[in-house]
Amino acid sequence: QVQLVESGGGLVQAGGSLRLSCAASGSIFSINAMGWYRQAPGKQRELVAAITSVGSTNYADSVKGRFTITRDNAKNTVYLQMNSLNPEDTAVYSCAARIATTEHEEYDYWGQGTQVTVSS
């Protein structure tokens, strides 16, 4: 059993910052890619940022230069530092991770989501 638990969402004014965390726990052999997705009301879910096990990152164009994804492999945790937030960033943010539970088995896991609301 593997769980991803997010924290750090909330309400912030435009121009402000938030830091999201997502910790993986359970029967983990290794963690490969980790990422953050978001879904705003009436819109499709989109990839915000992703990071590989060796630290390579990629970002959605809309967040480049404002958001930073990092991970702490010792803590099985991925972070998303969000700066210069604007109302268009309002969404439910979910973390995802590709986790190997054994040497030969790998699955995608999702967190429950955390609401980020940016007021103008």
Side-chain angles (χ1 to χ4, degrees):
Q1 194 84 356
V2 173
Q3 285 188 319
L4 299 182
V5 178
E6 299 132 336
S7 60
L11 173 65
V12 64
Q13 289 188 330
S17 299
L18 283 174
R19 188 192 193 209
L20 305 182
S21 300
C22 174
S25 62
S27 300
I28 298 171
F29 178 77
S30 65
I31 301 179
N32 299 313
M34 305 183 83
W36 289 95
Y37 290 76
R38 68 185 181 187
Q39 187 166 23
K43 294 187 177 181
Q44 288 190 326
R45 184 171 62 193
E46 63 171 345
L47 175 66
V48 177
I51 185 167
T52 68
S53 59
V54 295
S56 298
T57 59
N58 68 285
Y59 296 91
D61 288 343
S62 59
V63 307
K64 281 181 181 176
R66 299 188 299 122
F67 291 12
T68 303
I69 188 170
T70 58
R71 63 189 281 174
D72 184 334
N73 292 330
K75 296 181 179 180
N76 291 338
T77 299
V78 63
Y79 305 96
L80 186 67
Q81 178 66 43
M82 305 185 292
N83 298 328
S84 302
L85 285 161
N86 58 61
E88 290 70 40
D89 295 315
T90 295
V92 175
Y93 285 70
S94 300
C95 72
R98 181 153 294 175
I99 296 175
T101 53
T102 70
E103 189 174 357
H104 305 290
E105 296 178 287
E106 184 178 77
Y107 304 97
D108 291 334
Y109 292 89
W110 290 83
Q112 80 283 3
T114 185
Q115 178 70 45
V116 171
T117 302
V118 184
S119 63
S120 58

